[in-house]
Amino acid sequence: MTNEFIVESGGFTFEVPNSHYFKFELLEGQQILDVAIWTKDNPKHEFLSMHHTMFMHGRRVTKDSYLWSDYIERKMIAKCVDETEYESSSQGYFHHGVMGYCDDTESKRDVSCKTNFLNSIKEFGLGVEHLNDNTINLFDKFRCNPDGYLVNYPSDAVKGDYITFMSAESLLVSVSLCPITTNWKDLKQEQIAASVKKIKVSIYE
C-alpha cells in the first residue's frame, strides 16, 4: 500500500514506519526541499545528526548514503536508495546535501524553512527546541571548495526528478518547500509564496 501526499506550499510532517520507502518527487519543476528527520519513538532526543552524517559520508547525499542519529548509540536511521542521475554529478557538483535551513532573519520576511518546519511539527508536540539543524537539502546544486566553503549554482532539477530513502527506524519526517529562490530578494512575500512549486511525497513498503 502506498500513501501519497501533494505538498503545495509551506511544510508538511509525516510518519514513516520502519523499513519503508519515502520518496520526494518534483511535480512542476525545480524546487529546493529542506527535510528534517526525527525518530518517531523518541523525537525530542533522537534525530538526524548533521555532524555524524558529515563525518561518515561528507556533505553529499546520494544513492547509498546513510543518514545517522547520535543519541546514546550512533546508528543509521535511513538510507538513500535511489535518485535521479544528473550528468553534472560527474563534474563534481552535488544535488542533495547535509545542510541547515533558512530562517526569517535570513529572508527578512515572515516566511522561511524554519517557519514551515515549526508550523508542521506542532501537532507532534515538537517546537523550536527540537529543531536541531537535523536537516538535509534536496534538489539544490553546489560544490564544496577546498577551503570548506559551499558555492551554489542554478539547479539542474526538472519536473519528474526524485530521490528515495528507506527508513531503518520509525521516523517523523518534515519537508519544507524552500521559499528562497534565486531571485527571492527582489520579490515581495506574497510573490515568494506564489513561486513555490508543488511536490509529491510517497510512502510505501
Side-chain angles (χ1 to χ4, degrees), residues 31-101:
Q31 171 63 52
I32 294 175
L33 307 181
D34 284 28
V35 177
I37 302 175
W38 301 260
T39 61
K40 182 177 180 295
D41 294 336
N42 195 10
K44 295 182 179 180
H45 297 286
E46 187 171 18
F47 41 81
L48 171 68
S49 168
M50 290 180 67
H51 74 84
H52 192 60
T53 299
M54 284 193 288
F55 175 76
M56 296 294 290
H57 298 286
R59 281 195 175 270
R60 184 177 185 178
V61 176
T62 188
K63 186 177 179 180
D64 296 327
S65 291
Y66 292 166
L67 305 179
W68 294 80
S69 69
D70 186 11
Y71 175 69
I72 300 180
E73 175 188 357
R74 289 173 173 170
K75 56 186 177 181
M76 189 264 287
I77 58 173
K79 178 182 179 181
C80 178
V81 295
D82 196 14
E83 61 167 330
T84 298
E85 295 184 9
Y86 295 96
E87 184 177 347
S88 60
S89 295
S90 62
Q91 302 165 4
Y93 293 98
F94 300 174
H95 300 89
H96 315 291
V98 182
M99 291 185 281
Y101 48 83

Side-chain angles (χ1 to χ4, degrees), residues 1 16 21 24-25 30 42 63 68 73 105 112 114 123 142 147 168-169 197:
M1 179 179 178
V16 180
Y21 299 97
F24 302 97
E25 181 181 351
Q30 192 271 338
N42 195 10
K63 186 177 179 180
W68 294 80
E73 175 188 357
T105 302
S112 66
K114 183 176 183 179
E123 65 178 289
F142 63 98
D147 60 9
E169 300 271 337
K197 297 180 177 63

